[in-house]
Amino acid sequence: MLSLHHRDDRLRAAGNLLPTAEGGLETRPGGLQIIAGAVDAARPWGDRIIAEKGGRIVVWDGAENDLCAAGAVLQATSFQALTGAGLRESRAYVADGVNPLWYVARRSGVYEREFVVNTILDDDSVPYPLPVPWAIATWRNRLWIPDGNNRVRHCQFDRPDEWDPLWTVECQGKEPARVMAIIDHGEALGVGLQNAVWEITGTSQYNWDRREVLQIGVAGSNAIDGDGARLAVLAPQGVFLGNSPDSISEDIREMFTVPIGIGELVLDTRRQLVLVLVAGRLFVTHLKKPGLWGEITGTGATGLIRTQNHVGWYGNDGVWLLMGRDTADKLLDGTERPFTCVYDTWEQRPNLGGNGRALCERTLLDIAGSARGQATYRVANGARSFEQSFDLVDGVVDTWSDDMDGSETWQAWPTPAVRRELVPRLAGEQFRHTISAPCYMQIRRFEPKYRGGA
């Protein structure tokens, strides 16, 4: 697993390798580009995406639909609004930090934008004003937005145009702080502030309860996520899971020794992964092995997104979603863009006694992978090195089934693990091992054997 500081049992690089539930590493899924061009922000709306592109807001539903000028931020939440006679309309309510709360809906094949007008009136029959929101979430069939600095405010149940100014909940610790993020967390509403994380529970404005669960702040408006069981938080101090005050980011602690600026975090609930974007690097850990890290490289990501069924990233190269295993990245025009995964160890010094020299006699691998490519093993000792490529499968690959149309094509998946023994016979004082592949591989065990050393 990846460590940014030297550890004999960790890697100096784990490029495009993700942790597994068993504690190994496997190649990341291929990505699918769904929006091309530079994207400054992207938020999900079910299986659609609302994105900021070229100073405009567009709605992607398989094609890009121009909507309006962009605001200062982009946050959105899905809401099924009652329209009468038991019918509901799918809407995305948007907080842009500049305009009053507004929503977008598709009507007669066209996306329409409307501003929310509060139906709760004051004594002069004037609607009570709504704060300009910079964060938003749907929870308990209510919309929630920040109100002031440390308060959140909600609409009436199932009535997104009914906002009583009394329906607010205060999240105030020892020091004042600004609400940065609000998320639906199953039985609780997660509220991320600059210096703490709070949870709100209850069923209505008559029994809301709130408590501080972490005395750390979030590193941005998209730096907190939850799966209904536990929260994951990216803070200026590290990455935290559940209500534990202990960071799970010890192996990448160097990323947090300086101010990290704005960072982002999402949960891939299907794959049980936590994706963390900090200082331009995209790290990944597994919920069953939290704190063991891999990294997705070469994306140019500036933000993360979780749609209804997928997770991915966005940036100057558009919006990408992770798709299937053992596939290349695919551009919007259908062009494939292969990527390589790299397993790279820190330098090992197996013999510190005597004259310090040792012989790397052989290297054993328990590894699985794809039949469509080979892996390459390399061990280096300064200017001297040994390199050898090898297959990742033995013999005929088991298949799920033949194609229904009876053609010769079939899906070569899953593949059984194989044992590989490489014989470098390379002498020296320190050794650096790398394994790379342009296709899927899963490294279960890696054991270099030395003579004259450990």
Side-chain angles (χ1 to χ4, degrees):
M1 297 299 170
L2 175 66
S3 174
L4 300 185
H5 47 274
H6 190 162
R7 288 186 56 177
D8 287 340
D9 60 342
R10 295 288 191 266
L11 304 178
R12 63 183 298 154
N16 289 315
L17 290 172
L18 307 184
T20 66
E22 296 75 28
L25 286 166
E26 66 178 356
T27 304
R28 71 164 172 88
L32 176 66
Q33 185 187 45
I34 60 172
I35 300 178
V39 172
D40 296 314
R43 306 310 304 154
W45 174 17
D47 57 0
R48 291 172 281 200
I49 291 176
I50 299 176
E52 180 182 340
K53 183 179 179 182
R56 304 285 296 177
I57 298 298
V58 299
V59 179
W60 177 89
D61 59 3
E64 294 179 32
N65 302 270
D66 184 76
L67 188 65
C68 61
V73 299
L74 177 61
Q75 296 294 318
T77 186
S78 300
F79 194 91
Q80 297 296 313
L82 282 169
T83 56
L87 300 177
R88 291 183 180 267
E89 180 178 66
S90 176
R91 298 175 181 175
Y93 282 81
V94 177
D96 65 16
V98 173
N99 295 293
L101 181 64
W102 57 273
Y103 69 87
V104 56
R106 186 176 176 88
R107 297 165 180 162
S108 301
V110 177
Y111 288 101
E112 298 182 2
R113 179 196 191 201
E114 291 193 14
F115 289 93
V116 174
V117 177
N118 193 1
T119 58
I120 301 293
L121 309 180
D122 62 18
D123 293 339
D124 297 322
S125 298
V126 176
Y128 282 104
L130 295 179
V132 173
W134 60 89
I136 190 167
T138 300
W139 183 66
R140 298 292 194 211
N141 281 78
R142 297 168 173 85
L143 295 172
W144 294 74
I145 60 175
D147 186 357
N149 282 328
N150 61 296
R151 297 189 302 275
V152 289
R153 184 173 174 179
H154 65 84
C155 69
Q156 178 59 288
F157 179 86
D158 252 344
R159 297 178 185 173
D161 58 352
E162 188 174 317
W163 296 76
D164 192 313
L166 296 178
W167 296 337
T168 63
V169 181
E170 187 170 19
C171 301
Q172 179 67 63
K174 295 180 180 178
E175 299 293 335
R178 187 171 187 260
V179 172
M180 301 287 289
I182 313 171
I183 67 161
D184 176 359
H185 182 44
E187 293 301 309
L189 182 75
V191 182
L193 291 90
Q194 293 168 310
N195 62 1
V197 175
W198 289 65
E199 285 185 348
I200 297 172
T201 55
T203 57
S204 76
Q205 56 266 35
Y206 304 110
N207 64 359
W208 298 134
D209 191 15
R210 81 279 192 279
R211 65 189 183 102
E212 187 179 51
V213 295
L214 281 176
Q215 293 184 345
I216 57 162
V218 299
S221 56
N222 300 318
I224 182 172
D225 202 357
D227 60 2
R230 51 187 167 179
L231 288 170
V233 177
L234 170 61
Q237 302 93 327
V239 184
F240 298 82
L241 191 61
N243 297 339
S244 172
D246 298 322
S247 160
I248 63 169
S249 49
E250 169 62 22
D251 282 346
I252 57 172
R253 67 187 183 218
E254 286 77 4
M255 299 302 300
F256 303 95
T257 57
V258 297
I260 64 173
I262 301 299
E264 302 205 0
L265 177 150
V266 296
L267 293 181
D268 184 340
T269 53
R270 289 197 307 160
R271 299 184 180 94
Q272 293 289 286
L273 300 174
V274 184
L275 282 67
V276 177
L277 180 65
V278 53
R281 298 183 67 174
L282 180 46
F283 300 100
V284 185
T285 191
H286 202 287
L287 283 170
K288 292 188 177 179
K289 298 286 184 180
L292 300 180
W293 295 92
E295 184 174 6
I296 298 177
T297 58
T299 65
T302 59
L304 302 177
I305 184 170
R306 173 160 67 111
T307 68
Q308 184 170 297
N309 296 308
H310 301 282
V311 300
W313 61 86
Y314 60 86
N316 291 331
D317 198 20
V319 178
W320 292 76
L321 300 179
L322 290 176
M323 303 302 284
R325 291 192 297 187
D326 199 24
T327 59
D329 289 343
K330 184 175 288 188
L331 295 165
L332 187 61
D333 63 5
T335 303
E336 288 193 347
R337 190 167 69 184
F339 61 90
T340 299
C341 55
V342 179
Y343 180 101
D344 186 359
T345 71
W346 287 97
E347 289 82 357
Q348 298 179 356
R349 294 180 178 271
N351 184 19
L352 290 178
N355 63 6
R357 290 174 59 80
L359 177 69
C360 182
E361 290 188 308
R362 57 194 180 122
T363 298
L364 302 177
L365 285 169
D366 181 13
I367 190 168
S370 169
R372 68 180 182 89
Q374 288 187 313
T376 299
Y377 167 75
R378 184 176 188 270
V379 56
N381 169 33
R384 300 180 64 241
S385 64
F386 166 88
E387 185 173 302
Q388 181 178 336
S389 296
F390 58 92
D391 293 331
L392 291 163
V393 297
D394 284 337
V396 177
V397 177
D398 292 336
T399 64
W400 284 111
S401 63
D402 294 328
D403 273 358
M404 295 298 290
D405 61 7
S407 67
E408 294 298 322
T409 58
W410 41 269
Q411 182 180 358
W413 200 264
T415 60
V418 297
R419 177 185 182 275
R420 290 291 180 260
E421 180 176 353
L422 295 309
V423 187
R425 295 196 178 96
L426 183 68
E429 293 187 17
Q430 64 179 24
F431 303 87
R432 179 177 170 184
H433 305 263
T434 61
I435 308 166
S436 61
C439 58
Y440 177 86
M441 72 173 177
Q442 183 184 117
I443 299 175
R444 302 181 179 185
R445 289 181 64 187
F446 166 76
E447 293 184 4
K449 301 294 184 180
Y450 301 100
R451 184 194 301 175

